[in-house]
Amino acid sequence: MTRAIIGRSLALIITALAAVACGQPAPTPEATPRVTAMPAPTDTPTSTPTPTFTPTSTPTPTAVPMAIGDDLRASRLATPMSKRGAPCGVVDILDFPVGPPDGNNYRAPWPFGYLSDRYNGIHAGEDWISLSGSSLGKPVYAIGHGTVTYAQPLGWGIDQGVVIIRHVFNDGHTILSFYGHLDPSSVVLKAGDCVKRGDQVGAIGNPRGRPHLHFEIRQHMPDQPGPGYWPVDPTLAGWKSPTAYIWADRMRTSPGVKWTRTFTSTDSIGLGVIDNSLIAFDDQKLIALNADDGTLQWSQTITGTLHRTLVDATGSSIYISTITGTLEAFDASGTLRWQMNFGETTRPVLMPLPGGGVIVHVDQQLIGLSASADRLWQIDQIAAPFDWLLQDDRLIFSTSGDQAATYSLDRSSQLIKLADIGGRLTISRDQFFIYNPTGIYRINAVTHSVDLLLPLDSGSFDTGRLVAAYDGTLIVAHRGLFDRRLIALKPDGTLRWERSVSELGRTVPRLVTLGQRVYAITFDGDVLLIDTDTGHAQRIFDGASALLPGEAWAMATRTGRMIFDFRGGTLVAIDPRVAINIDEAVHDQ
């Protein structure tokens, strides 16, 4: 086979890759979107680019694992110092009682709140067992600095030893940690003793049933064992869910954290920031929180099942749509301004209208609505938007599937097709970038020429992300067939680095830009500062380690804070600059 034949074959293969972007088949004639303006129609100029492909090297199936620096724990550890009200010192950080600091190689199969028919009550603690052989004789440690208030080798009789420790925190509040089913011979502490975090308080004994540690956190009974089970909800009588309490305290006191707030549902959504208010949806309520302290400013109950949400381009209106076709508009104070119904069988998709208002997609139509609900124009025969971004006075959006494309749309309904591929979008230095399962593409904003910068191994990109750093570096979070990784391209489109992030959870991280820095939020709720030059990272926040089922979301405020909710449990507002400075100071020592 001659080189010319080989070259033509390769060109055909690469062209086919572009044609199937986002699942698109080979190009076929399609209907041109029609624009109907109100009160009068306008022409819709279109531009169909001729793709050119200049791919760089194909990424390897797996990449070098990302190196992650982690000085967070070291920056928080402190030797206990006696002080008034805290003779054994105050808590610096809480660890788990087995496998510290994070309970590694242990699990709690009998959780807090478990209803037991055998004991006719609700479990007031957690029962921990070892994952490596028998738990009998395994060491048990103090979760934090504190004072022993009770220690008896046979505090639970045939269920063996008990130790209770009081812990004092910097703000003056106290809790008790309880360790039960300890081997009697291992209980050598006595009331009044000081213990440091990590000191051994005993070893797991051999009570009735399987050897395990019964661990509680509570606010009462400092000098008596207690029942272990309670006839009603234990939280009403002063018990806390131990694992949740430890993680919540770690997050609340983490460097840079300004406030935390517990959400009540795993389907919470962050809509955006208006002035200094975070607008979010939680437990069937539209809410506004003060971005400085997390206090509730207002709430509005929403009827129906939420489908899409949007804060408009001016930051003055909030739009929500439901799965039954209802669209509602609220002002910045949470007051309902107007409501519109598009039919029970429709599910409106929302995008911002440049200059204010909302664009609604229903039944292959794009409809432009002003902030006061005036119907401005209508575009027919166009697929549902997949992703969008605002650029000055125009909206750039993409579609997917067999009608994959990328468009530019202005307030007057002037629609221009930029490319015959779709996917996730970002913009850098007046060039648009598209990420989809076949590769990373660049669209010239002036000529609309399309370049394939990097072919990718096809995988799921619904959870993938891409962002442009301040220096023009493009960073993509990609889930391929064999690996989950971050990919960085230089401003000229060539590959800078690849790093595997498969160890950071079951999904790729969510990427957030804040000032001149790029952050990644992992499935476990960790926040990593990404070095765009090297691909290394620094952990600046330690999340709750796979405790929750939802999906992480995050946004930046104008004051330089990041507000995020990892998987529907706890909302966290952090000033990353504080954590970064602490990490750098520790690293320089």
Side-chain angles (χ1 to χ4, degrees):
M1 182 178 292
T2 66
R3 290 185 178 180
I5 294 174
I6 293 174
R8 287 195 298 271
S9 299
L10 180 59
L12 288 173
I13 292 172
I14 294 175
T15 303
L17 277 175
V20 299
C22 294
Q24 183 180 355
T28 56
E30 62 180 50
T32 301
R34 296 193 304 271
V35 181
T36 303
M38 299 181 181
T42 62
D43 295 330
T44 303
T46 61
S47 173
T48 302
T50 301
T52 60
F53 302 103
T54 56
T56 60
S57 58
T58 302
T60 55
T62 58
V64 176
M66 173 177 283
I68 301 175
D70 189 353
D71 295 323
L72 275 179
R73 182 175 175 83
S75 71
R76 303 177 66 179
L77 302 184
T79 301
M81 303 291 292
S82 177
K83 58 188 298 186
R84 184 177 181 181
C88 296
V90 298
V91 170
D92 53 357
I93 190 172
L94 293 179
D95 287 345
F96 282 81
V98 287
D102 299 332
N104 295 331
N105 207 33
Y106 285 82
R107 68 184 181 96
W110 298 280
F112 177 84
Y114 171 76
L115 177 62
S116 172
D117 294 332
R118 177 181 179 183
Y119 295 101
N120 193 29
I122 300 174
H123 204 205
E126 295 172 340
D127 288 350
W128 286 82
I129 61 171
S130 171
L131 295 177
S132 57
S134 173
S135 300
L136 183 63
K138 294 293 175 67
V140 177
Y141 304 96
I143 65 170
H145 307 327
T147 306
V148 176
T149 62
Y150 181 88
Q152 292 293 332
L154 289 171
W156 262 355
I158 61 175
D159 282 325
Q160 306 197 332
V162 170
V163 171
I164 303 174
I165 301 172
R166 172 183 281 117
H167 308 277
V168 182
F169 294 81
N170 277 313
D171 62 3
H173 84 276
T174 64
I175 55 96
L176 301 167
S177 60
F178 174 100
Y179 314 81
H181 299 321
L182 301 179
D183 181 78
S185 65
S186 72
V187 179
V188 296
L189 294 169
K190 60 183 183 298
D193 285 348
C194 286
V195 295
K196 300 188 297 295
R197 172 192 25 78
D199 283 351
Q200 187 169 342
V201 300
I204 295 176
N206 192 21
R208 291 176 294 177
R210 182 180 183 180
H212 63 274
L213 170 70
H214 177 90
F215 173 61
E216 298 179 8
I217 289 182
R218 64 196 197 191
Q219 296 174 303
H220 60 152
M221 293 186 291
D223 52 8
Q224 55 182 302
Y229 288 82
W230 201 245
V232 294
D233 182 358
T235 62
L236 301 177
W239 277 279
K240 306 289 185 180
S241 175
T243 291
Y245 186 90
I246 290 173
W247 279 114
D249 183 75
R250 284 190 183 184
M251 291 186 288
R252 180 181 61 84
T253 59
S254 183
V257 169
K258 299 304 180 182
W259 53 267
T260 64
R261 177 187 176 91
T262 300
F263 269 173
T264 57
S265 63
T266 59
D267 60 351
S268 64
I269 301 172
L271 280 66
V273 177
I274 296 181
D275 294 329
N276 199 41
S277 298
L278 169 69
I279 310 300
F281 177 81
D282 178 48
D283 193 28
Q284 288 301 120
K285 290 183 175 63
L286 189 66
I287 63 175
L289 304 176
N290 186 303
D292 290 332
D293 57 19
T295 55
L296 180 67
Q297 294 176 316
W298 54 259
S299 68
Q300 179 74 258
T301 300
I302 303 298
T303 58
T305 302
L306 200 69
H307 181 52
R308 296 295 174 91
T309 63
L310 178 75
V311 173
D312 80 350
T314 65
S316 60
S317 299
I318 305 159
Y319 301 94
I320 66 169
S321 66
T322 68
I323 63 173
T324 55
T326 298
L327 173 65
E328 295 181 329
F330 300 84
D331 64 19
S333 66
T335 301
L336 179 64
R337 299 178 61 187
W338 50 265
Q339 187 180 75
M340 188 177 296
N341 194 288
F342 291 92
E344 292 187 359
T345 61
T346 63
R347 296 190 175 188
V349 178
L350 310 179
M351 296 188 295
L353 181 66
V358 61
I359 299 173
V360 184
H361 182 275
V362 290
D363 296 331
Q364 296 289 303
Q365 296 176 337
L366 284 180
I367 301 171
L369 299 173
S370 71
S372 56
D374 297 323
R375 193 166 177 138
L376 304 176
W377 45 258
Q378 176 179 310
I379 301 176
D380 298 323
Q381 297 179 359
I382 194 162
F386 175 76
D387 196 16
W388 58 263
L389 59 87
L390 279 171
Q391 188 210 24
D392 300 327
D393 58 352
R394 62 174 174 166
L395 177 77
I396 311 299
F397 71 96
S398 65
T399 58
S400 61
D402 59 2
Q403 299 183 56
T406 299
Y407 297 93
S408 168
L409 177 64
D410 67 12
R411 184 174 180 82
S412 67
S413 77
Q414 185 180 52
L415 182 72
I416 300 174
K417 181 186 285 188
L418 302 179
D420 285 309
I421 56 174
R424 296 208 177 273
L425 303 170
T426 194
I427 185 172
S428 177
R429 300 183 177 181
D430 292 327
Q431 296 185 98
F432 304 112
F433 294 88
I434 298 176
Y435 156 65
N436 63 43
T438 65
I440 303 170
Y441 298 83
R442 176 176 55 201
I443 303 177
N444 187 290
V446 177
T447 66
H448 302 168
S449 61
V450 181
D451 295 318
L452 173 61
L453 301 178
L454 186 69
L456 293 173
D457 53 331
S458 297
S460 170
F461 80 113
D462 286 351
T463 57
R465 296 291 185 272
L466 82 163
V467 297
Y470 81 100
D471 62 355
T473 300
L474 191 71
I475 300 180
V476 178
H478 175 62
R479 181 175 183 174
L481 295 177
F482 307 102
D483 196 14
R484 293 182 294 276
R485 58 185 179 270
L486 295 188
I487 303 169
L489 301 183
K490 299 175 184 178
D492 64 3
T494 58
L495 181 65
R496 174 166 282 172
W497 48 257
E498 292 181 75
R499 297 290 180 263
S500 173
V501 292
S502 291
E503 299 300 319
L504 299 180
R506 289 179 286 174
T507 64
V508 295
R510 180 174 292 271
L511 301 175
V512 179
T513 57
L514 186 57
Q516 295 186 355
R517 302 181 188 266
V518 177
Y519 300 89
I521 299 180
T522 73
F523 181 80
D524 292 347
D526 293 346
V527 179
L528 308 176
L529 169 64
I530 307 299
D531 186 323
T532 57
D533 290 328
T534 66
H536 301 318
Q538 179 75 39
R539 182 178 282 106
I540 65 168
F541 182 84
D542 187 2
S545 190
L547 293 176
L548 302 166
E551 182 181 354
W553 54 262
M555 58 189 61
T557 72
R558 56 180 174 79
T559 58
R561 293 183 180 178
M562 182 191 306
I563 301 178
F564 63 94
D565 172 44
F566 56 96
R567 295 184 291 133
T570 301
L571 192 67
V572 179
I574 184 173
D575 185 343
R577 297 165 295 188
V578 175
I580 293 167
N581 291 337
I582 289 175
D583 288 335
E584 291 174 347
V586 172
H587 185 72
D588 292 339
Q589 291 179 357

